[in-house]
Amino acid sequence: MSQQFAVIGHPIEHSRSPELHHQFAKAAGIDLNYQKRLAALDGFAASVQDFFAQGGRGLNVTVPFKEQAFEMCEILTERARAAGAVNTLWQQNGQLHGDNTDGQGLVMALESLGWTLTKARILILGAGGATRGVILPLTQAGAAQIVIANRTVARAQQLVSDIQPFVSSIALQAIGLDALAGEYDLVINATSASLSGEALSLPAKLQFGQAYEMAYGKESSFLQQAKARGVAYSDGFSMLVGQAIEAFYVWHGVRLNLRDFL
Ligand code: NDP
């Protein structure tokens, strides 16, 4: 029988993970079956246990269960500990292991665009789960400075104090969205304003050369403003593919090239 994998979430219908992992498996010559798994909002832990009890090999975890997955794991990678969230699960010697591949997915996406991260000055808009997941990998990829700007500044300050111990080599800074100014190599939009269609205003006194929007699908006001300024820009589809490629590597030990799947 094929090895069994799945992505678990609520809702789950929109997920593109099965399609991606089947493409990767074909390219790597691996026989696997990857399904979508809907868990009840109060039934995540039971669904995970049931999946592995039936011989399942690996699970990806999506909204809203990444923090619960983190709590369930007996063994965590450093990047999962820094993120406080897990999107990739597997069992080894009867223990549940957890990793977070979102941040490395973003790093791969930025590198595939040819955007250098070495010594980069980076501004991240938003201080939610996605931002939490990408700071350690961005630092490991060479970022020199990361400023986190959030509508609720206290949330950005909390995030900085939680993550600073993992990234002692660089200084993180938290500011309010109303204090956007200065010069950056790269601005990353990790707010969910894009999903709700709300506008995010980038003042002229904020200067940057590259703009990455984590959301994908409909063009956000963030991307429209980047385009109008004539800077390099991208939406978040490459990050989605990147996190899947990294999860595939964690499970199968096969490293695929992101560009082959965009
Ligand atoms: P969270 O819900 O954890 O955080 C949302 C963030 O957006 C908060 O910082 C919130 O600020 C801010 N925000 C929401 N609405 C507004 C607004 N109108 N104006 C300004 N700020 C706002 O979401 P996630 O961190 O999980 O996800 C963020 C984005 O990243 C989403 O678009 C998601 O789809 C995308 N994403 C993409 C991935 C990919 O693979 N491409 C992977 C993961 C996420 P406040 O604290 O003040 O409420």
Side-chain angles (χ1 to χ4, degrees):
M1 197 172 92
S2 316
Q3 304 177 57
Q4 301 295 314
F5 293 85
V7 55
I8 181 166
H10 185 123
I12 199 61
E13 222 21 71
H14 65 283
S15 174
R16 299 189 60 176
S17 292
E19 168 196 334
L20 289 171
H21 279 269
H22 283 132
Q23 277 179 39
F24 302 163
K26 194 170 170 207
I30 292 173
D31 180 25
L32 62 79
N33 178 20
Y34 190 117
Q35 298 292 324
K36 293 176 190 170
R37 195 172 172 92
L38 178 71
L41 287 174
D42 61 355
F44 174 71
S47 183
V48 169
Q49 280 153 4
D50 181 53
F51 176 82
F52 286 112
Q54 291 186 19
R57 276 284 320 278
L59 278 176
N60 280 135
V61 182
T62 187
V63 177
F65 298 129
K66 290 185 188 180
E67 285 80 15
Q68 272 189 64
F70 172 82
E71 296 299 334
M72 277 180 78
C73 287
E74 292 153 290
I75 314 265
L76 290 159
T77 60
E78 189 195 21
R79 60 193 183 187
R81 280 191 288 118
V86 155
N87 76 337
T88 304
L89 291 169
W90 67 101
Q91 262 196 342
Q92 210 173 314
N93 302 326
Q95 288 182 304
L96 188 63
H97 289 241
D99 195 358
N100 188 313
T101 66
D102 283 337
Q104 189 55 28
L106 174 64
V107 167
M108 285 162 60
L110 297 172
E111 287 173 347
S112 81
L113 289 160
W115 298 1
T116 176
L117 290 168
T118 310
K119 299 204 169 75
R121 296 160 304 166
I122 301 177
L123 171 68
I124 305 181
L125 310 177
T131 299
R132 219 166 247 280
V134 301
I135 291 172
L136 178 61
L138 286 173
T139 308
Q140 289 169 334
Q145 182 195 9
I146 301 181
V147 175
I148 296 151
N150 201 41
R151 181 175 60 180
T152 314
V153 71
R155 194 171 176 198
Q157 286 162 342
Q158 183 63 51
L159 188 150
V160 164
S161 83
D162 291 347
I163 299 201
Q164 189 70 71
F166 291 91
V167 293
S168 51
S169 57
I170 70 159
L172 298 176
Q173 195 192 339
I175 60 170
L177 269 188
D178 49 2
L180 291 181
E183 212 174 300
Y184 295 89
D185 299 301
L186 166 65
V187 179
I188 298 169
N189 185 19
T191 71
S192 50
S194 332
L195 298 179
S196 55
E198 288 167 82
L200 207 60
S201 138
L202 306 175
K205 62 188 176 193
L206 172 67
Q207 298 286 313
F208 54 93
Q210 297 152 341
Y212 193 89
E213 166 66 80
M214 280 198 190
Y216 50 88
K218 201 168 147 271
E219 189 171 86
S220 66
S221 83
F222 172 80
L223 278 187
Q224 285 163 1
Q225 290 171 76
K227 265 187 176 175
R229 286 175 180 229
V231 303
Y233 63 89
S234 171
D235 77 3
F237 182 68
S238 49
M239 176 178 174
L240 174 82
V241 180
Q243 63 75 31
I245 281 191
E246 186 68 9
F248 193 85
Y249 175 69
V250 168
W251 289 328
H252 305 287
V254 177
R255 183 156 295 292
L256 298 167
N257 188 342
L258 177 62
R259 282 167 183 257
D260 294 340
F261 300 95
L262 292 179

